[in-house]
Amino acid sequence: MIPPTLPFDCGLAAPPAVCSLALLSTILWGLTPVVVKYALSRGGTPLQAAVVIVSVDAAVLWVVTTVLHGPAAVLQFSARAVGLFALAGAMGTAVGRLVVYSGIDRLGASINTAGVSTRPLFAVVIGAVVLGERVGQLTLVGAAVLTVGLVVLSLSKGGDVRGWQRRDLLFPLSAAALYAAANAVRRTGLDAAGTSALPAVTVNETAAVLVILGYVLVRGRTDELAAPRETYALFALVGVLTATGMVSLFTALEHPAGRLVVVDPLVAAAPLFTTAFAAVLLSDVERVTRGVVAGALVVVAGAAFVTLG
């Protein structure tokens, strides 16, 4: 199997601190889908994963936000900003994560994570259609490369050992679109609030918890929370790792040299780490073929082109 490689030499573009923080987020977010898949294979459910992971994630972020920014950090937002962050949480975190975990359950961690990495393409489409932003030639090249990567993944004969249908790729692609839309809404809220991203994301995750719990209660799906105790511990671990990755990412972006064009391509390399972790840790439930590795590499390259374009 090809070892994970990054799309460019970060050391030439940013200080070691920025590279290290971004790389930590990449590794953690590369590992979490593998832990989720392992828990799902042990009797967990996607809905249970969403409830536990987002709840733990929000709790950790509240603690970190309080320590770093003070207990009143989230009270400074206007009603409009809170509404935007809550909307982003409902779309990207609540619905988006539930779709992601369903995709991991069907496709496997490696293929689903590669599919979700098409998010920059959806972000560009939203920017062009909604905000009238210009689409450069490098972005168009990236879009073509991403398409090739998805085709390679669909033909890879890897992923979940139970097999999957090509239409199941709609799960990660839908999640990518939701994440991109939520990021656009969140960015609008940050522009209006003019504050650090961490308190905003704390509000975002809190709203997501409320949406997910409300959905469980209104739809009467509490039976899907009846799962082995082991899976709750695993999903809680994912929540801690996810929150740690977020804090690391925001710390990198808030560094004076933490440019988005440096950090985002690094984070987009997460599928390479997911593929490596899956090959080692999920050999009994997931096939990591050469096609999966090749597809992940092509998708990461395409995402980097789109981001840099």
Side-chain angles (χ1 to χ4, degrees):
M1 184 187 68
I2 300 174
T5 56
L6 299 179
F8 63 93
D9 187 351
C10 182
L12 298 177
V18 173
C19 296
S20 299
L21 288 167
L23 184 57
L24 176 60
S25 296
T26 305
I27 294 172
L28 291 177
W29 290 342
L31 175 62
T32 52
V34 174
V35 181
V36 169
K37 179 61 178 177
Y38 181 82
L40 291 171
S41 70
R42 283 353 184 229
T45 68
L47 184 59
Q48 175 208 6
V51 170
V52 176
I53 294 171
V54 178
S55 297
V56 172
D57 180 24
V60 173
L61 288 175
W62 269 104
V63 172
V64 174
T65 298
T66 300
V67 171
L68 296 181
H69 299 279
V74 300
L75 300 179
Q76 61 185 306
F77 299 133
S78 65
R80 177 173 180 269
V82 170
L84 289 170
F85 297 146
L87 176 60
M91 287 193 305
T93 305
V95 181
R97 295 248 192 117
L98 183 56
V99 174
V100 163
Y101 302 145
S102 297
I104 292 175
D105 189 33
R106 290 170 179 256
L107 291 161
S110 54
I111 291 180
N112 191 79
T113 304
V116 173
S117 288
T118 59
R119 173 185 54 81
L121 179 59
F122 289 98
V124 168
V125 172
I126 291 172
V129 174
V130 179
L131 304 177
E133 296 178 350
R134 186 181 64 86
V135 178
Q137 292 183 347
L138 193 59
T139 299
L140 296 176
V141 171
V145 173
L146 280 171
T147 302
V148 172
L150 290 173
V151 172
V152 173
L153 286 174
S154 70
L155 301 174
S156 66
K157 297 182 179 179
D160 195 293
V161 295
R162 298 170 301 180
W164 50 274
Q165 304 296 319
R166 290 178 185 171
R167 63 174 178 270
D168 292 333
L169 286 171
L170 290 174
F171 283 92
L173 294 177
S174 298
L178 286 166
Y179 283 172
N183 283 343
V185 174
R186 195 177 297 120
R187 183 173 61 186
T188 302
L190 284 170
D191 290 341
T195 186
S196 170
L198 191 57
V201 174
T202 301
V203 175
N204 177 108
E205 299 297 290
T206 303
V209 172
L210 297 177
V211 170
I212 294 173
L213 291 178
Y215 171 74
V216 171
L217 294 176
V218 170
R219 300 290 295 179
R221 298 182 62 176
T222 54
D223 58 309
E224 295 184 42
L225 303 181
R229 185 176 303 176
E230 172 194 13
T231 62
Y232 274 92
L234 290 169
F235 289 142
L237 173 62
V238 171
V240 173
L241 295 178
T242 300
T244 303
M246 284 187 180
V247 173
S248 180
L249 174 64
F250 297 141
T251 304
L253 289 173
E254 291 176 1
H255 188 282
R259 295 181 296 146
L260 186 64
V261 294
V262 173
V263 174
D264 211 38
L266 278 174
V267 175
L272 304 183
F273 289 94
T274 300
T275 301
F277 287 132
V280 175
L281 302 175
L282 296 177
S283 58
D284 58 332
V285 295
E286 190 163 332
R287 286 188 297 268
V288 178
T289 64
R290 292 181 179 178
V292 172
V293 176
L297 284 168
V298 174
V299 166
V300 167
F305 281 135
V306 171
T307 301
L308 296 173

